[in-house]
């Protein structure tokens, strides 16, 4: 009898894990609360560092997951833990008796309005990384009309006690460098500035991207966090930062400012955590069994995690995480779950 | 500018301001330079609106200026503040309203520090008892005088005889609002509207028919800087900061500046005089400056008080162009007269500033 | 350091420069609050002592704009205040041009508080020392009592009102507070330090006061 596996979240992690688990022979049910599969990936244009088109990657994930039972616009109504399995009632009326649950609830983008001093939603020429990515996809944004001076603000909503998130969101520096290059490609005459505290370009080819941005595109990198944004009489923006390398405060007038909004735990974490009795850490992401050796297992037997549900990740990390979660699920369902008599003992030893 | 964006933020920084029964303490600088503003505050709240605003002659400075000039230790200023609180408790009040913005910031800072370090509060209690044989209670609500006028702004609008409108063109006056730094920069949640887009003065302007001007250096300090002004050798700091603000607001052509801090209207007024006399540049029309008024002066104008009762004659920048725009009736001959028409002469004219 | 302003003001600094970006003093003076916080954080006593003896810590205008924005919830302005406090306690303030000004500030502001109960007292705010106060204040200064009466004040009067004469028993309480909390000691220490310096320079008290009131070297400015 094939085991049922419930996957919560239809973004890249959920899609990849469901494809793997289906290939392994399990009966996968994937639920996604929004109307579309693909998560944030569906909204992006090109992916760093090599600027692969996002829809190609998404297309691959969707094709591999063909055959998986996917319910969009569907959430969890209630979950009961039975002795080993989970009795899950979905909002579409269907009930699933699931032997393992994979939480792939992903992340939300920080709402840049909350960083009030940057004026998003107040000063017209301020936009976010998500807005800019949408512009690259559609070619349409009324804020962008031949800008001559463009700024990128790193760490918006990240590494910031005042906006409630101490941690780094990992991907924004690479995204900023990528978007800086892309906007220079769109407007070759523009001057582009990146205002950063640290440049976190840790991955393979990331440093090359940085070098390219500097050498081929003349992007200027200023080590100083933006303190304040205001609007001039003509609608241009006045941005204040310190050039910490030169130890001098500076003011720049820009036509366009892009805020690199960071990652936050998904808003669904609270509800899901309550349904499943899952612990959440101080940073708002789900706890894992062990940060190093068991990052895809929650502390509870039978509940697995993959993707940004356990903290900021790049896309390749998310996909690797999803495959690892699939392996963990397979191991659980072959070595621990089937043994009804010794279940509790096996969980103690091997979970 | 997307106005709705600001409205969302304003809705998040609401502050509870009790309606009545306040213990009132004055401001050193306002008593010296804007005594009519404080008198107007009491007249509007007590006589026009019928509120209970109590003042005892035994209250003193909070010591804020001395504290921020680093001339007295923190324990001293906290004990002085405790004494003020003791007077409040003695007279049976739990709502505290202060006239000075530095005071307001200092009261907030003191109470927050006590909250985090109760042993310090205990020490101050001991100090106060040893020095004055007094015991204090912390106010239940602490507000600034501009918070109260903000709270009553619609009541004032209802009794207003005019609006912040140019009667000749029908257009609302363009008003720059300047918030004192110590109002909300340290504790944004303690200010109406927070620190980035404070609403306490914007609310008044909107209620009274004016139009807000937002300009790049809106949040910038006027440059008082305490020691940076008191010592002559430092005064360039103070002047430069105010100058920066005026250069930034110039393209927006404001008719009026409204402020809620004691020092700011003094500096925004006097440095215009210095800039005019030393460089010839003025920021109003035809050699005039932009009047920098306190919120009580603006409230008084819309309610129909005589400008010379409001103390507008003690501003260096001439207010007549503004009065004319608003259609205020005034007698120029009475501008510098004392009580009962006593002749006090008049100030020397300026070389450049009208 | 036991100063509560340091406890409140220093969490841990990441040198992002947000404070310096928004600081009014950093724009005009050779002043960088970020570097000062970094030095304090480093606990390098040698560097800190240099700071306490320098002009640098006296450039701040205590506007607290830095406090609003710091992503680590530090407060550069509060740290500066605690440094100033320490510099005064240790007597180092007298070494620097800007620090020396404490002599005048302490004398004037504290005496206003003890004599009148206010930090600022209009009869002591003369036009001659403050020409920027303008022609109107010059006029007002000559007619202070009449103007106050006209404007509804109560200059030196009894009972409540603007600039009233605060009863002596209240001023005595302020003095007692000053005595118990160390403010009187500070006033004395600062006065003595100033007098020593004046003697060292071979100046009378008046000459000394006039000098520190107006001294301002161009080297302080940011070009």
């Amino acid at each position: 009898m094939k085991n049922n596996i419930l996957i919560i979240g239809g973004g890249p992690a959920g899609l990849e894990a469901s494809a793997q688990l289906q290939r392994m022979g399990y009966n996968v049910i994937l639920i996604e609360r929004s109307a579309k599969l693909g998560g944030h990936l569906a909204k992006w244009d090109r992916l760093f560092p090599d600027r692969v088109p996002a829809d190609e990657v998404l297309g691959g994930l969707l094709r591999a997951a063909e055959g998986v039972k996917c319910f969009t616009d569907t959430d969890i109504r209630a979950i009961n833990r039975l002795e080993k399995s989970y009795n899950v009632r979905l909002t579409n009326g269907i009930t699933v008796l699931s032997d393992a649950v994979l939480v792939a609830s992903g992340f939300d983008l920080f709402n840049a309005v909350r960083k009030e001093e940057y004026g998003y939603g107040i000063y017209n020429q301020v936009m976010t990384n998500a807005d800019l990515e949408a512009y690259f996809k559609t070619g349409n944004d009324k804020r962008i009309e031949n800008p001559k001076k463009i700024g990128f603000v790193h760490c918006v909503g990240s590494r910031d006690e005042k906006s409630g998130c101490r941690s780094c969101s990992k991907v924004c520096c690479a995204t900023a460098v990528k978007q800086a290059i892309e906007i220079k490609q769109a407007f070759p005459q523009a001057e582009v500035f990146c205002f950063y505290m640290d440049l976190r370009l840790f991955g393979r080819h990331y440093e090359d991207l940085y070098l390219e941005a500097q050498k081929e595109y003349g992007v200027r990198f200023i080590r100083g966090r933006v303190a304040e944004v205001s609007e001039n009489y003509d609608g241009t923006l006045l941005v204040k930062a310190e050039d910490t390398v030169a130890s001098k405060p500076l003011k720049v007038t820009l036509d366009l400012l892009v805020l690199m909004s960071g990652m936050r735990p998904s808003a669904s974490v609270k509800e899901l955590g309550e349904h499943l009795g899952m612990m959440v850490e101080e940073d708002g992401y789900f706890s894992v069994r062990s940060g190093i050796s068991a990052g895809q297992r929650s502390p509870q037997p039978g509940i697995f995690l993959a993707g940004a549900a356990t903290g900021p990740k790049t896309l390749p990390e998310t996909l690797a995480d999803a495959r690892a979660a699939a392996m963990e699920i397979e191991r659980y369902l072959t070595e621990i779950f089937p043994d009804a008599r010794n279940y509790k003992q096996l969980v103690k030893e091997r979970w | 500018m997307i106005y709705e964006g600001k409205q969302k933020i304003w809705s998040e920084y609401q502050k509870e301001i009790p309606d009545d029964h306040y213990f009132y303490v004055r401001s050193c600088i306002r008593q010296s330079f804007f005594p009519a503003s404080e008198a107007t505050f009491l007249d509007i709240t007590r006589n026009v609106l019928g509120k209970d605003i109590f003042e005892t002659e035994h209250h003193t400075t909070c010591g804020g200026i001395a504290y921020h000039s680093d001339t007295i230790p923190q324990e001293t200023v906290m004990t002085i503040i405790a004494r003020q609180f003791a007077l409040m408790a003695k007279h049976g009040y739990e709502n505290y309203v202060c006239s000075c913005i530095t005071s307001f910031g200092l009261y907030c800072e003191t109470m927050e520090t006590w909250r985090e370090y109760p042993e310090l509060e205990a020490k101050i209690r001991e100090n106060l008892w040893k020095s004055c044989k007094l015991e204090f209670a912390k106010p239940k609500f602490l507000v600034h005088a501009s918070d109260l006028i903000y709270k009553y702004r619609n009541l004032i609008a209802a009794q207003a005889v005019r609006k912040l409108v140019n009667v000749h063109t029908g257009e609302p006056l363009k008003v720059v609002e300047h918030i004192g730094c110590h109002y909300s920069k340290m504790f944004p949640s303690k200010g109406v509207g927070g620190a980035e887009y404070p609403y306490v003065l914007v609310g008044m302007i909107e209620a009274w028919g004016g139009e807000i001007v937002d300009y790049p250096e809106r949040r910038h300090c006027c440059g008082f800087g305490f020691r940076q002004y008191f010592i002559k050798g430092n005064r360039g700091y103070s002047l430069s900061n105010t100058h920066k603000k005026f250069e930034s607001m110039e393209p927006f052509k404001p008719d009026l500046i409204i402020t809620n801090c004691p020092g700011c209207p003094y500096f925004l007024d006097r440095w215009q005089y210095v800039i005019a006399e030393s460089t010839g540049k003025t920021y109003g029309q035809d050699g005039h400056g932009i009047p920098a008024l306190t919120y009580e002066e603006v409230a008084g104008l819309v309610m129909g008080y005589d400008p010379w009762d409001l103390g507008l004659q003690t501003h260096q920048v001439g207010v007549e162009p503004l009065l004319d725009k608003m259609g205020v009736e005034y007698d120029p001959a009475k501008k510098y007269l004392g009580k009962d028409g006593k002749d006090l002469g008049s100030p020397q004219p300026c070389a450049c500033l009208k | 350091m036991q100063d509560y302003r340091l406890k409140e003001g220093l969490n841990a600094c990441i040198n992002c420069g947000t404070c310096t970006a928004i600081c009014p003093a950093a724009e005009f003076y050779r002043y960088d609050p970020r570097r000062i916080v970094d030095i304090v954080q480093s606990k390098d006593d040698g560097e800190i002592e240099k700071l306490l003896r320098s002009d640098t810590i006296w450039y701040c205008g205590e506007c607290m704009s830095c406090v609003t924005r710091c992503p680590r919830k530090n407060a550069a302005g509060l740290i500066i205040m605690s440094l100033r406090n320490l510099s005064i306690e240790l007597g180092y303030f007298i070494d620097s041009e800007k620090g020396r000004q404490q002599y005048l500030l302490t004398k004037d502001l504290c005496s206003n508080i003890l004599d009148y109960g206010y930090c600022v007292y209009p009869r002591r705010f003369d036009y001659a020392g403050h020409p920027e106060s303008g022609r109107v204040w010059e006029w007002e200064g000559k007619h202070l009592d009449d103007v106050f009466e006209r404007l509804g004040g109560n200059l030196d009067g009894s009972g409540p009102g603007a600039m009233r004469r605060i009863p002596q028993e209240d001023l005595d309480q302020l003095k007692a507070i000053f005595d118990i909390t160390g403010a009187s000691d500070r006033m004395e220490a600062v006065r003595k330090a100033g007098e020593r310096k004046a003697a060292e320079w071979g100046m009378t008290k008046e000459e000394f006061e006039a000098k520190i009131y107006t001294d301002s070297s161009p080297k302080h400015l940011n070009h």
Side-chain angles (χ1 to χ4, degrees):
Chain A
M1 240 258 290
K2 287 205 283 187
N3 299 95
N4 287 345
I5 301 172
L6 175 72
I7 298 187
I8 304 173
L15 287 172
E16 177 67 17
S18 59
Q20 299 296 339
L21 290 164
Q22 181 179 241
R23 201 176 50 77
M24 291 177 189
Y26 293 104
N27 188 30
V28 180
I29 302 109
L30 179 107
I31 62 168
E32 163 57 44
R33 56 161 36 178
S34 79
K36 283 180 65 168
L37 296 173
H40 293 270
L41 179 58
K43 302 182 221 158
W44 296 335
D45 176 54
R46 280 173 291 171
L47 307 172
F48 63 80
D50 305 314
R51 279 151 286 165
V52 168
D55 50 18
E56 268 176 34
V57 173
L58 180 57
L61 292 173
L62 290 168
R63 272 192 302 280
E66 250 161 56
V68 171
K69 268 192 282 292
C70 294
F71 298 116
T72 53
D73 280 314
T74 303
D75 211 330
I76 302 208
R77 174 144 289 140
I79 298 190
N80 296 57
R81 176 116 214 257
L82 306 174
E83 222 187 287
K84 290 186 294 175
S85 307
Y86 292 87
N87 192 42
V88 188
R89 268 191 299 134
L90 304 173
T91 53
N92 60 6
I94 297 182
T95 301
V96 180
L97 185 65
S98 187
D99 298 327
V101 176
L102 173 60
V103 175
S105 47
F107 71 92
D108 285 341
L109 211 55
F110 170 69
N111 180 4
V113 166
R114 307 198 68 83
K115 202 71 199 134
E116 299 160 29
E117 59 262 48
Y118 292 163
Y120 182 62
I122 292 175
Y123 301 129
N124 300 58
Q125 293 305 106
V126 181
M127 65 192 306
T128 64
N129 44 357
D131 295 334
L132 186 59
E133 199 68 21
Y135 167 77
F136 288 136
K137 239 174 117 100
T138 63
N140 251 338
D141 189 301
K142 63 177 177 220
R143 290 170 280 218
I144 301 184
E145 213 189 315
N146 199 17
K148 306 248 185 3
K149 286 174 89 170
I150 305 160
F152 286 82
V153 183
H154 293 230
C155 298
V156 177
S158 312
R159 304 181 67 197
D160 184 7
E161 299 272 6
K162 296 247 164 78
S163 58
C165 176
R166 183 181 308 151
S167 42
C168 169
S169 295
K170 207 163 191 181
V171 301
C172 333
C173 277
T175 308
V177 176
K178 172 195 83 96
Q179 289 186 331
I181 291 177
E182 288 169 331
I183 206 153
K184 265 297 255 193
Q185 287 169 334
F187 303 101
Q189 303 307 316
E191 278 181 85
V192 179
F193 303 89
C194 285
F195 297 93
Y196 68 96
M197 294 199 274
D198 296 286
L199 279 178
R200 300 196 162 174
L201 299 171
F202 51 88
R204 193 172 183 186
H205 297 176
Y206 290 14
E207 192 68 19
D208 301 316
L209 192 68
Y210 177 31
L211 189 64
E212 186 187 337
Q214 289 183 296
K215 280 184 84 168
E216 310 292 327
Y217 294 96
V219 175
R220 301 268 310 280
F221 287 87
I222 299 177
R223 194 196 174 278
R225 183 174 179 276
V226 169
E228 182 182 282
V229 178
S230 346
E231 195 179 72
N232 290 316
Y233 189 67
D234 59 3
T236 56
L237 301 171
L238 185 68
V239 171
K240 295 185 183 177
E242 184 200 359
D243 181 348
T244 61
V245 172
S247 284
K248 283 213 135 76
L250 57 80
K251 276 189 288 194
V252 197
T253 300
L254 299 172
D255 300 313
L256 184 68
L257 191 66
V258 184
L259 306 178
M260 304 309 293
S261 287
M263 284 191 182
R264 285 298 160 94
S266 164
S268 63
V269 162
K270 186 166 183 297
E271 240 186 276
L272 270 180
E274 276 165 13
H275 278 308
L276 288 163
M278 288 169 75
M279 303 275 296
V280 156
E281 284 189 38
E282 192 199 331
D283 60 4
Y285 293 96
F286 287 116
S287 305
V288 295
R289 182 75 181 82
S290 158
I292 294 193
S293 0
Q296 294 78 34
R297 273 182 263 150
S298 87
Q300 284 143 279
I303 302 186
F304 301 82
L305 293 152
T310 54
K313 291 188 181 57
T314 64
L315 190 53
E317 285 171 357
T318 296
L319 298 179
D321 211 39
R323 290 173 204 134
M327 288 223 52
E328 288 276 37
I329 292 172
E330 199 258 351
R331 185 181 79 96
Y332 172 73
L333 291 176
T334 42
E335 289 180 18
I336 304 178
F337 182 85
D339 192 338
R341 206 155 40 101
N342 296 315
Y343 179 74
K344 285 208 171 81
Q345 183 61 23
L346 286 168
V347 160
K348 229 162 129 193
E349 286 167 11
R350 299 195 204 168
W351 176 256
Chain B
M1 184 110 29
I2 305 162
Y3 184 73
E4 295 73 23
K6 289 192 182 179
Q7 286 180 309
K8 276 198 217 127
I9 291 179
W10 294 331
S11 66
E12 285 180 25
Y13 286 99
Q14 302 275 17
K15 181 166 123 171
E16 193 177 343
I17 305 170
D19 192 61
D20 204 347
H21 304 300
Y22 280 92
F23 183 80
Y24 177 63
V25 295
R26 291 181 182 266
S27 145
C28 300
I29 287 186
R30 272 156 53 95
Q31 288 179 90
S32 298
F33 297 102
F34 304 100
S37 282
E38 292 194 332
T40 307
F41 175 80
L42 291 174
D43 194 51
I44 291 178
T45 52
R46 286 174 176 166
N47 304 332
V48 176
L49 300 177
K51 305 292 177 186
D52 166 26
I53 313 286
F54 176 83
E55 181 198 352
T56 166
E57 70 210 31
H58 298 285
H59 83 269
T60 65
T61 175
C62 71
I65 290 178
Y67 175 66
H68 283 290
S69 303
D70 309 286
T71 58
I72 54 178
Q74 192 181 48
E75 255 191 61
T76 309
V77 84
M78 284 187 169
T79 311
I80 296 177
I81 284 175
R83 182 181 175 278
Q84 304 270 80
F85 287 164
L87 292 176
M88 173 198 79
K90 180 165 155 201
H91 290 278
Y93 285 85
E94 47 180 31
N95 300 336
Y96 197 93
V97 59
C98 59
S99 180
C100 169
I101 281 278
T102 302
S103 294
F104 179 71
L106 186 52
Y107 288 127
C108 291
E109 183 191 335
T110 299
M111 294 210 282
E112 272 302 302
T113 311
W114 287 348
R115 199 178 53 83
E116 273 200 56
Y117 300 100
E119 74 273 14
L120 182 58
E121 185 181 337
K123 180 104 204 293
I124 304 297
R125 240 172 240 289
E126 199 187 306
N127 287 349
L128 186 64
W129 181 256
K130 272 203 236 161
S131 55
C132 308
K133 295 280 175 287
L134 286 172
E135 287 188 43
F136 73 93
K138 288 179 287 194
K140 195 149 169 238
F141 290 98
L142 167 72
V143 306
H144 181 255
S146 61
D147 290 329
L148 265 190
I149 297 292
Y150 163 80
K151 174 131 179 135
Y152 302 146
R153 66 197 186 286
N154 293 318
L155 296 175
I156 291 172
Q159 306 218 20
V161 307
R162 65 175 63 88
K163 293 187 158 172
L164 294 174
V165 163
N166 185 328
V167 297
H168 308 290
T169 65
E171 293 294 312
L173 293 177
K174 293 199 274 294
V175 186
V176 155
E177 40 101 25
H178 178 81
I179 301 281
C181 291
H182 291 253
Y183 178 66
S184 58
K185 282 186 179 178
M186 272 190 84
F187 301 102
S189 60
K190 303 260 194 290
V192 176
E196 304 299 337
Y197 307 99
Y199 190 60
V200 61
L201 293 178
V202 171
M204 288 182 211
I205 300 167
E206 288 187 337
W208 302 338
E211 185 188 299
I212 318 297
V213 166
D214 191 355
Y215 63 106
E217 300 297 351
R218 169 173 59 80
R219 286 162 274 190
H220 198 89
C221 176
C222 74
F224 174 22
F226 305 94
R227 66 184 310 100
Q228 315 300 354
Y229 173 67
F230 287 125
I231 302 290
K232 192 172 187 178
N234 298 339
R235 252 168 234 163
Y237 167 97
S238 190
L239 171 61
S240 306
N241 281 296
T242 294
H243 177 247
K244 202 158 102 97
K245 289 182 70 80
F246 278 107
E247 289 289 305
S248 176
M249 72 173 81
E250 196 185 4
F252 296 82
K253 301 200 180 28
D255 298 306
L256 163 67
I257 300 171
I258 179 175
T259 96
N260 68 348
C261 163
C264 303
Y266 173 84
F267 294 108
L268 294 172
D269 182 56
R270 304 307 203 263
W271 291 133
Q272 282 188 75
Y273 159 73
V274 170
I275 293 169
E277 300 301 286
S278 47
T279 67
K281 180 160 188 185
T282 53
Y283 294 96
Q285 291 123 327
D286 311 319
H288 286 98
I290 307 173
L293 304 189
T294 69
Y295 51 96
E296 291 108 337
E297 287 169 344
V298 179
L301 280 180
V302 305
M303 288 184 76
Y305 285 60
D306 182 289
W308 314 140
D309 287 340
L310 292 174
L312 297 186
Q313 66 275 43
T314 62
H315 291 247
Q316 184 62 54
V317 167
V319 297
E320 284 83 351
L322 174 67
L323 300 179
D324 293 334
K325 277 181 204 166
M326 287 178 69
V328 175
E329 275 154 27
Y330 60 94
D331 186 350
K334 295 209 171 116
K335 187 172 183 185
Y336 296 113
L337 295 180
K339 194 166 168 199
D340 303 321
K342 182 171 178 184
D343 182 8
L344 303 174
S346 59
Q348 302 275 351
C350 304
C352 293
L353 181 69
K354 297 221 189 106
Chain C
M1 282 190 267
Q2 278 307 298
D3 198 319
Y4 284 94
R5 286 166 292 199
L6 189 61
K7 291 191 216 221
E8 291 278 14
L10 186 56
N11 258 327
C13 170
I14 51 175
N15 267 278
C16 69
T18 302
C19 51
T20 302
I22 203 61
C23 173
E27 201 176 326
F28 299 111
Y29 282 129
R30 287 211 180 146
Y31 176 65
D32 192 321
R34 173 184 59 84
R35 289 207 293 178
I36 295 181
V37 175
D38 194 48
I39 289 174
V40 173
Q41 183 168 258
S42 75
K43 299 203 173 122
D44 181 339
D45 284 332
E47 285 298 313
I48 293 178
E49 187 180 318
K50 262 201 259 171
L51 264 187
L52 296 175
R53 292 186 190 271
S54 72
D55 291 295
T56 312
I57 59 172
W58 305 101
Y59 294 136
C60 168
E62 301 196 12
C63 73
M64 303 295 162
S65 302
C66 48
V67 181
T68 323
R69 303 275 167 73
C70 173
R72 276 288 185 88
K73 289 193 174 161
N74 296 313
L78 288 179
I79 295 173
I80 288 283
M81 287 180 80
S82 66
L83 288 173
R84 289 177 174 181
N85 210 44
L86 190 59
S87 178
I88 294 169
E89 292 283 312
L90 296 175
Y92 295 164
F93 69 97
I94 207 73
D95 290 346
S96 63
E97 180 195 292
K98 298 284 184 204
R100 223 166 276 145
Q101 297 163 346
Q102 281 308 110
Y103 172 82
L104 271 178
L105 290 164
T106 309
K107 180 168 86 77
D108 291 342
L109 294 172
C110 291
S111 64
N112 284 349
I113 294 179
L114 295 176
D115 296 341
Y116 295 104
Y118 306 111
C119 288
V120 175
Y121 181 65
R123 291 197 211 277
R124 284 188 176 166
F125 193 89
D126 61 315
Y127 176 71
H130 294 272
E132 74 287 346
S133 58
R135 296 296 186 180
V136 177
W137 182 255
E138 182 189 22
W139 162 81
E140 201 179 326
K142 297 185 192 138
H143 304 275
L144 216 45
D145 296 90
D146 287 312
V147 174
F148 263 77
E149 202 186 357
R150 172 74 183 86
L151 298 182
N154 190 12
L155 181 58
D156 297 332
S158 57
M163 228 67 223
R164 66 205 173 283
R165 179 101 191 103
I166 292 181
Q168 190 57 43
E169 73 235 35
D170 302 307
L171 299 179
D172 292 340
Q173 287 188 339
L174 286 182
K175 179 76 171 72
I177 291 176
F178 265 52
D179 290 339
I180 280 194
T181 56
S184 301
D185 290 338
R186 175 171 298 190
M187 284 171 70
E188 188 55 21
V190 171
R191 187 182 63 78
K192 286 211 183 97
E195 287 174 354
R196 267 197 302 270
K197 198 70 183 175
E200 193 188 300
W201 284 348
M203 293 181 157
T204 66
K205 198 158 72 92
E206 289 71 27
E207 286 170 339
F208 179 70
E209 285 177 14
K211 178 172 164 60
I212 64 177
Y213 188 58
T214 52
D215 262 358
S216 183
S217 162
K219 76 170 170 74
H220 299 298
L221 301 175
N222 207 351
H223 293 289

